[in-house]
Every structure is written in structure tokens, then in C-alpha cells.
Amino acid sequence: MVSTAKIKSVDFYRKIPRDLTEASLSGAGLSIIAALSMMFLFGMELNNYLTVSTTTSVVVDKSSDAEFLRIDFNMSFPALSCEFASVDVSDVLGTNRLNITKTIRKHSIDKHLRPTGSEFHSGSTTTALKHDEEDDEEYGEGSVSLNGHSFDRVSHQYPIVVVNFFAPWCYWSNRLKPSWEKAANIMRERYDREADGRILVAKVDCTEEVDLCRRNHIQGYPSIRIFRKGSDVRDDHGHHDHESYYGDRDMDSLVKMMEDLVAPIKLESQMITSDNSSAKLATGLKRPAPVTGGCRIEGFVRVKKVPGNLVISARSAAHSFDASQMNMSHVISGFSFGKIITPKVMSDIKRLLPHLGQSHDRLNGNSYITNPKDSTENVTIEHFLQVVKTEVMTRSYKLVEEYEYTAHSSLVHSLHIPVAKFHYEPSPMQVLITENSKSFSHFLTNVCAIIGGVFTVAGILDSILHNTMRIVKKVELGKNF
């Protein structure tokens, strides 16, 4: 067996007997300073080890979402009715999609942005409607002209009141007029207002009765509204819940619509019977009219990664709009590109770079309000957005994707119907941020270097100080003798 003496011979740390060592005041001071230095440098090294470092590079966009880009939004338009609100998309490649509805939801809101009911289903506003052929045949004025006073009176007098809200300058109103008057004459002959009294066919000139049309939230001409007496009368302010007719506008279609409305009403009582199945028109021809003049539009669209436009406007293939009365003021609650980022993922992103993610939803909470009465008419609100994609690769190899954008907004006085337009321009490049991992072995090596280095330097300083003091004492003793 190997003797103990031989094992001791390889000892690198040979000990000096304690009674041969001498403690000094200067050595104690240096030891305290050395210990504090070790603690300070260890803290700095630990902080450096825990601090996240990243490498940033700019590369060509080859992201996983391929050639498409998702746009999520939530916007409120206090003066745009859901009845005609349309979401359109176009781009430089020629893509042109009008009135997107599959991924869009609309809710009627009041001027204070408060919802006034369930989701509003407006249906298609781009389908052309059937009209009678234009002819010079004479026709009488079969419908009754209403004003603000007479409207309230007849709406409480007749079980059914069908009203054509029109404008004399409107092309579609003039196309409807012959068919409307002919249908009104037929209904007056079949259901005399005095002897029968179950239905009244009327019309309102919105250029003359501005307040009445505004009260019924008329934004497109002509608008055919159906007012019902009885169960449709609301308690608040005596207004009636009503429906809009979106069917064909030829005489036969109008007469059939009115006949279907009258059929379930008994002549004797002039009250709606319990079985009102015959009053239901074909699907899509009659829907509830908006009870307020505003609309909240939320949802998403998928667009190609090329410069394009997202446009919110009033659109219809069979209505006209008074551009001077259109107000496209809006409040943006949310507007972002790419996948929806959860708060947890966003916090992970900001852990890497605190300033990252601040432009992910730059438009959120912004209001763009105009008042046509106080400024020039026909105001279009445009937003110019430049979009850059950022990919973050964490130490756990988790890929986080987000789109940041800059936004510049302006008011433009247009010759056409005002719109809210978002010009977006995706960048062909993307920012790639990689989190650099730090090895624990490197941290441990630096800690050992700190301890050994401080200990060695302190020992050297102590030796220098001790020898200096000894020399000084010898010199002083030599002088004394």
C-alpha cells in the first residue's frame, strides 16, 4: 500500500503551523476589502449571467404565414349605420373584395358608442335589385306624403305603415317612384284607408323632412321601412320598432310584399293575429332596421403581403348617399396585424427588449372625429401604415412573431362619398431577434477567477505593505543608534 507520507507529498496546499503565523491590522483590513470586492464582483457576474442578451439582424421575410397577412380590428363609427356599412379590401395586384361579411361582425351603437342590441345582420348591399322598365305611362300619386307630425299620427293609427324615404335628386329613388305609386294605388283599391284601414302606403321626402329621416336613421335613398302597430310599439318615446325591405322594387314584388304584411291582420279587429307565419317574407328581403345611427365593426380580414387598402364605407348597389351628410368619424379600439398576441406572450417579448411591442397596436384608443357642420364637407379620414414583421427566437427555441407598424393619419376633402381608409404597406424585410444563451460553466469559471484573482491580489498587496513597514522600522532603528 502507498504510505501516508507519499500521499502527503503531493499536497499543493501545505500548511504552516498556526503558532508560526502572525496576524496584523493591515492584513485584517485588506482581508475585509478583499471579501467585499469578491461579493461585489460576484454580484456583477451573476447579474450579467441572468441578463438576457440578444442579437438583431435584418433578413428577407420568409415567415411561416406565407404570402398572407391577417388584419384584426375593432372600430366604432357613431354616424355610420350598420345597414350600409361595408368593409372592402384592395391591393396593387388587382385584388378587390367588396362588403366582406364572413369574418366581420356589426353591432348598432348610439352616439356614445354604447351597443343598442344584438349583432346586426345587414346582408348583401352589392346585389342589384329588379326594377320595372322605364316608361312614360301615366300614374297617379297613390302614396301619402308624410311630415313629422302626420308620421307620428298615422304610425299609431294603422296596423301596417310602409314608407318610402326618398330624395328627389336620387337616381334610385326616381327609378322606384313609378313602381311605388302604382303599387300604392293597387293597395288603396284593395284595402281602402277608410273602409279597411289595415295598411297605409306612404312616402317621406328627406330633403324636406330632414329631422324625421334622421330620427329614423335614414342614410341611403330610397329606404323602405315597415312600421307595425301593437307589439312593435316601444315604450320609450313612443317610437316604433321597424324593419327594412331589401327585396326587388318592381311593382309586382312591392304588391306581394304588402299583401303578405296585410294577410295575418283581421279586418274586424285590425289587430295582428297570433299566427303571423304568412307575414314572413322571403329570406333576406326583410330584416330589422337599425335602431340607432352608429355601428361598431369588428373582425378580421386576410390580405396579401403587398401594399393595399382596407376601406370602411357606405355601400349599396341600389341606394344613393348624400356625401355632404356622411360622417366617417371613428374610434379605434383595436387595430393590429398578424396573429393575436396574448398578454403572456407580449410580456415574454418585452422581457427580451423592453421597447419591443410598443408599436404592435399603435392606433388603439385613438379617436378621429369630424363634424361636417363645422368644416368643409366630404371629409375622408386616411391612415398610412408601414408594417414590419419581427421574429423573436427565445432560449427555449420558441418562436414569437409580431408585426409592428408606424401610423400617420390625415383628413382629406374628397369629391366622392367620404370613407375611412387604411393604406398598409408591408415591408419585404423582417427583423430577426435571437436570444443568446449563456453557459453555466462559463459563469462558474468567472466566479472562480474572481475569487482567486482577488485573493491573490490582496495577498500581494499585503506582502508589499508588510515588507514596506518592516523596512521603515529598520531604518528608524538605525537612526536611533
Side-chain angles (χ1 to χ4, degrees), residues 29-79:
L30 281 174
S31 298
I32 294 174
I33 294 174
L36 293 175
S37 299
M38 290 181 189
M39 294 174 61
F40 175 73
L41 293 176
F42 174 78
M44 292 184 62
E45 183 63 26
L46 180 62
N47 180 69
N48 181 63
Y49 175 72
L50 297 177
T51 301
V52 177
S53 63
T54 59
T55 301
T56 302
S57 57
V58 178
V59 298
V60 176
D61 187 0
K62 296 180 180 179
S63 50
S64 59
D65 48 8
E67 60 179 3
F68 290 100
L69 177 62
R70 171 171 168 151
I71 305 177
D72 285 88
F73 50 85
N74 184 340
M75 296 177 283
S76 299
F77 291 79

Side-chain angles (χ1 to χ4, degrees), residues 66-113:
E67 60 179 3
F68 290 100
L69 177 62
R70 171 171 168 151
I71 305 177
D72 285 88
F73 50 85
N74 184 340
M75 296 177 283
S76 299
F77 291 79
L80 175 64
S81 174
C82 288
E83 187 176 13
F84 300 110
S86 175
V87 179
D88 309 328
V89 169
S90 62
D91 60 38
V92 295
L93 296 181
T95 302
N96 192 20
R97 292 186 289 159
L98 303 178
N99 193 29
I100 300 172
T101 58
K102 187 176 181 180
T103 58
I104 304 298
R105 298 181 301 278
K106 303 176 187 177
H107 299 268
S108 294
I109 59 174
D110 59 19
K111 62 181 180 180
H112 301 294
L113 309 185

Side-chain angles (χ1 to χ4, degrees), residues 16 76 85 177 183 263 283 300 305 351 354 369 388 395 432 436 458:
I16 299 175
S76 299
K177 184 177 180 180
T283 303
F300 70 91
K305 280 190 177 180
R351 178 180 61 84
I369 306 297
V388 178
R395 280 185 293 187
L432 179 61
N436 299 326

Side-chain angles (χ1 to χ4, degrees), residues 295-313:
C295 188
R296 186 177 79 244
I297 304 174
E298 59 182 352
F300 70 91
V301 294
R302 287 174 60 84
V303 299
K304 293 183 178 179
K305 280 190 177 180
V306 295
N309 301 304
L310 172 68
V311 181
I312 312 295
S313 64

Side-chain angles (χ1 to χ4, degrees), residues 75 77 308-312 328-332 335 337 362-363 366-369 380-386 405-412 419-425:
M75 296 177 283
F77 291 79
N309 301 304
L310 172 68
V311 181
I312 312 295
M328 296 306 295
S329 299
H330 55 273
V331 177
I332 301 177
F335 197 98
F337 293 87
R362 181 174 290 272
L363 289 176
N366 292 353
S367 301
Y368 303 90
I369 306 297
T380 286
I381 304 176
E382 294 186 316
H383 306 277
F384 298 88
L385 314 176
Q386 292 183 312
Y405 63 90
T406 60
H408 304 278
S409 304
S410 64
L411 305 182
V412 180
V419 300
K421 183 178 292 187
F422 297 81
H423 304 273
Y424 57 88
E425 186 174 349

Side-chain angles (χ1 to χ4, degrees), residues 454-474:
V454 172
F455 186 83
T456 301
V457 171
I460 294 173
L461 291 176
D462 179 65
S463 178
I464 293 173
L465 183 60
H466 180 72
N467 291 331
T468 301
M469 292 179 65
R470 188 174 60 178
I471 293 173
V472 170
K473 285 183 180 180
K474 285 183 178 181

